[in-house]
Amino acid sequence: MPDDRDLVRRRIDLVDLVGERVKLVKIGKKLKGLCPFHAEKTPSFHVDPDLQLFHCFGCKKGGDLFDWVMAIENVDFRQALEMLAERAGVALSSGKGRPKEESDAWIRVMEAALSQFRSALSRAPKVVEYAESRGLDSETVERWELGYSADSEFELATLLKKAGHRLQDAGTMSLLSGDASGYRDFFRNRLMFPIRDDHGRLVAFSGRSIDGTEPKYINSRDTPLFKKSDTLFGLYASRPSLRENRQAVVVEGQMDVIACHKAGLTSAVAALGTALTKDHALRLKRYCDEVVLLYDGDTAGRSATKRAAEIFSGAGLAVVCAMLARGEDPDVILARDGAQALLDRVAAAVSPTRFMIRCLIEDFDAKPGIVDAEFWAGVRNALATCPDRLEVDSLLDEIAALHPNARVDRQAVVRALRSEVDAMRGPRRRVRAGADEPNVTQAALDPPRPPEQYLIRAAISEEFRAKAWAKLAEDGLVVSQTGRNIADALLAISQEAPAELAREIVLRLDGPMQLAIMAFEQSPLTAVGLQFAADRLAAERVRRQRRENYRNARTPESALENYPSSN
């Protein structure tokens, strides 16, 4: 009886799933595209529609549809199974997966709340006037589905109950506070920003104060569908731009996101009322390769920029930082100077190290001849953490001009600073060639020869499996190391040809074997072709045996036995 995984596999086509994220082009029987897991210009990412496997020959990521979802969504197997089961309409038979009916009820109550908030905004002219004063015209309000939570303790709770929604569900989704003994509205007298997840589901709200009440923003509590530590406002709206350009603009708040989108920066996102986390970075990494940090120009914003640069760099993303003047933020720039000014700030973004150096120069009002020890300590610290030695050399040459001794001997200053920075960086570790390269599997080093590939492919195929399977067990027929490993693994599944689908058989093999099979030549399988491959392998077996017999006949011992005696 098929388990949940088998049911999901049979209902979801990996090509359709991957095609939502990667533009695939058909090459022979396979599909090829640019890998979403690393930056590349020449496609090395392959999808095999028959085996329902994907593999990148560049970064080595690969597997089936569950591996795809785990990698692209940064979730564990159980979460991937739940997501795919929901897509396939499969009711999970075991485990901790939440019932679909419960999840649907949560989504329905969230959509009902959004409808109420949007309706309330249309009936609140003072709030509309406030929104317009912040640059939120009617078109923007409509596009971002903005609403208003009335200044009432029970208005939303009453309306949801009348509409037939369970207040317990509304409480679970952070629309209400309290419990069964008494529920109250969680958001009151706030401009409401709906928050949708990567797939467009409404999972939370953020409410902005409109009368100066603190805190300025209140976000939904964490719920079964929402976690602040990895959710980004604007991500769903930004996905088309992210996929096209592979670059995200990260800002500090909802208003900044909206301002950026209005200015044409349609890949802008923001964290929600919490410090940026590694989970935020990993979620964004699914969609882009580079991040532009466009944080506020005040001290807090600049400190946040430095922390965010470390987090994004640690997650493997390229990072550049936009330099905003004191008191500037994207919303202010758009309102004061227009869209082009905002675009110019992004275009002028610099590396994190150069950003830190510029901040130091501004903070200390550094001019040629500056002797402040704290300034020079900051410079050395910034350069010591820079991973790019070429950039360090460039910055050293620039910053040396500010040193008091630069007038006497600027190059001596450069050498002295470089020596101090190198000392802080520690001794340079000698790395042997190729040490940082990804491991190359034996499957890639020792691929089976074409007739072996043909035989193995035939043994997996439904049409020719019965005839080819027995050939795998013949001594001396499949002899390459990888080919023999695959043949033995297939025989370990069953000594006789099983009745499973080809993809199900391949998925029972380990990763390197799956990789090897995906790399096989894809010529059409025919009965004549199978016979030809088997005959060729048998002929090679005969030739090997003859060579072996000849070598055995020419051993030193046999030669000595036949050597003429001197007597």
Side-chain angles (χ1 to χ4, degrees):
M1 181 178 178
D3 62 14
D4 293 339
R5 290 171 296 179
D6 293 330
L7 290 172
V8 169
R9 284 193 185 106
R10 292 178 184 183
R11 294 189 185 185
I12 295 179
D13 189 329
L14 180 63
V15 174
D16 293 338
L17 193 65
V18 173
E20 295 176 359
R21 300 289 183 96
V22 179
K23 183 178 180 181
L24 297 172
V25 177
K26 192 168 185 180
I27 307 293
K29 285 192 173 183
K30 294 182 182 178
L31 296 125
K32 200 173 182 181
L34 294 173
C35 181
F37 304 113
H38 77 287
E40 62 177 8
K41 295 182 179 179
T42 303
S44 59
F45 180 83
H46 293 249
V47 179
D48 190 313
D50 294 330
L51 300 179
Q52 291 288 290
L53 295 173
F54 73 92
H55 190 84
C56 176
F57 290 88
C59 68
K60 310 303 179 187
K61 281 188 180 291
D64 65 356
L65 75 170
F66 295 106
D67 297 299
W68 168 259
V69 172
M70 285 190 288
I72 206 73
E73 300 289 352
N74 191 32
V75 296
D76 59 25
F77 175 79
R78 183 65 201 183
Q79 291 171 303
L81 176 60
E82 289 180 13
M83 294 169 67
L84 289 169
E86 182 175 356
R87 178 187 179 112
V90 172
L92 297 178
S93 58
S94 60
K96 299 180 180 180
R98 70 178 63 91
K100 188 173 186 299
E101 295 78 9
E102 185 177 36
S103 176
D104 288 347
W106 292 335
I107 295 297
R108 285 195 299 270
V109 77
M110 290 294 287
E111 292 290 351
L114 176 59
S115 179
Q116 166 56 23
F117 292 148
R118 297 189 69 184
S119 176
L121 179 61
S122 67
R123 302 191 306 270
K126 289 186 178 180
V127 183
V128 172
E129 183 179 342
Y130 166 80
E132 290 175 346
S133 72
R134 296 303 311 270
L136 303 173
D137 55 28
S138 59
E139 182 181 346
T140 303
V141 167
E142 183 68 23
R143 179 184 178 191
W144 292 91
E145 305 176 287
L146 304 187
Y148 170 63
S149 56
D151 191 8
S152 167
E153 283 191 272
F154 305 107
E155 180 172 301
L156 181 61
T158 302
L159 289 168
L160 291 176
K161 187 173 182 178
K162 284 183 178 180
H165 297 282
R166 295 197 316 159
L167 296 188
Q168 180 181 349
D169 290 333
T172 298
M173 295 309 295
S174 192
L175 294 169
L176 306 177
S177 298
D179 52 33
S181 63
Y183 286 105
R184 288 176 170 80
D185 294 1
F186 183 75
F187 296 100
R188 294 178 54 185
N189 196 29
R190 288 181 175 267
L191 187 64
M192 300 299 292
F193 297 79
I195 301 164
R196 296 190 178 274
D197 67 11
D198 303 25
H199 308 289
R201 295 186 307 174
L202 178 61
V203 294
F205 287 97
S206 182
R208 191 186 197 285
S209 170
I210 60 177
D211 59 4
T213 302
E214 292 292 337
K216 182 186 293 185
Y217 282 96
I218 293 179
N219 299 298
S220 296
R221 303 181 299 264
D222 281 3
T223 74
L225 301 183
F226 169 66
K227 189 165 68 171
K228 281 192 290 286
S229 62
D230 73 351
T231 302
L232 292 161
F233 178 76
L235 181 55
Y236 179 66
S238 297
R239 289 201 316 175
S241 180
L242 289 170
R243 287 174 180 165
E244 181 179 355
N245 301 315
R246 304 295 297 173
Q247 183 192 70
V249 177
V250 180
V251 294
E252 289 194 58
Q254 288 95 308
M255 295 296 291
D256 292 333
V257 169
I258 292 173
C260 285
H261 279 253
K262 289 177 68 175
L265 296 170
T266 53
S267 62
V269 299
L272 288 157
T274 183
L276 190 83
T277 68
K278 182 180 179 181
D279 288 337
H280 286 125
L282 292 175
R283 180 167 295 277
L284 198 55
K285 188 179 179 182
R286 303 172 193 170
Y287 303 99
C288 67
D289 307 309
E290 182 182 57
V291 168
V292 180
L293 298 176
L294 185 62
Y295 283 12
D296 295 357
D298 57 14
T299 300
R302 292 183 176 184
S303 296
T305 299
K306 296 170 188 176
R307 290 194 302 271
E310 292 176 1
I311 291 170
F312 282 119
S313 296
L317 287 159
V319 182
V320 291
C321 310
M323 195 82 187
L324 272 62
R326 298 285 184 181
E328 285 189 337
D329 63 39
D331 190 27
V332 167
I333 294 172
L334 178 66
R336 185 190 65 200
D337 303 322
Q340 188 57 50
L342 200 53
L343 296 172
D344 290 344
R345 298 294 200 287
V346 171
V350 297
S351 72
T353 304
R354 191 171 290 275
F355 176 85
M356 288 190 284
I357 295 294
R358 288 187 181 180
C359 287
L360 283 167
I361 292 173
E362 237 185 64
D363 291 343
F364 286 88
D365 191 23
K367 293 179 174 59
I370 182 172
V371 296
D372 194 306
E374 189 177 351
F375 168 77
W376 289 107
V379 168
R380 289 191 293 270
N381 286 330
L383 295 176
T385 59
C386 179
D388 187 340
R389 297 191 70 88
L390 290 177
E391 183 176 27
V392 170
D393 290 341
S394 174
L395 286 167
L396 278 171
D397 190 58
E398 294 175 26
I399 203 74
L402 299 178
H403 198 276
N405 296 335
R407 294 179 180 177
V408 178
D409 190 341
R410 180 170 171 172
Q411 289 307 309
V413 172
V414 171
R415 290 193 295 271
L417 286 173
R418 181 183 291 112
S419 177
E420 292 174 334
V421 169
D422 285 345
M424 294 176 69
R425 292 165 70 98
R428 295 184 67 180
R429 181 170 58 92
R430 185 176 296 276
V431 181
R432 64 181 178 84
D436 293 331
E437 296 296 320
N439 290 330
V440 180
T441 64
Q442 182 64 32
L445 291 172
D446 182 27
R449 289 167 299 108
E452 290 185 341
Q453 295 181 19
Y454 200 99
L455 179 61
I456 292 170
R457 287 175 54 225
I460 295 169
S461 72
E462 286 84 354
E463 184 177 358
F464 301 105
R465 186 179 306 161
K467 185 175 181 180
W469 200 269
K471 297 289 184 182
L472 299 179
E474 286 190 25
D475 288 338
L477 209 60
V478 177
V479 295
S480 69
Q481 185 61 58
T482 300
R484 192 65 254 164
N485 289 344
I486 295 174
D488 290 342
L490 291 172
L491 291 169
I493 295 173
S494 174
Q495 289 298 310
E496 297 182 359
E500 298 171 81
L501 296 172
R503 71 187 65 167
E504 294 170 352
I505 292 175
V506 174
L507 286 170
R508 293 171 68 173
L509 304 177
D510 64 21
M513 294 181 189
Q514 294 179 14
L515 166 57
I517 291 173
M518 286 191 70
F520 284 179
E521 295 180 1
Q522 294 296 308
S523 55
L525 291 173
T526 64
V528 173
L530 174 58
Q531 188 61 53
F532 178 81
D535 290 345
R536 183 173 170 183
L537 291 173
E540 290 177 356
R541 177 174 57 187
V542 171
R543 286 195 293 272
R544 284 196 305 273
Q545 188 61 53
R546 287 175 179 170
R547 286 195 298 270
E548 185 66 24
N549 292 340
Y550 177 77
R551 282 195 295 268
N552 290 338
R554 299 292 298 171
T555 59
E557 291 79 6
S558 64
L560 185 60
E561 289 173 1
N562 297 321
Y563 197 81
S565 173
S566 58
N567 295 327

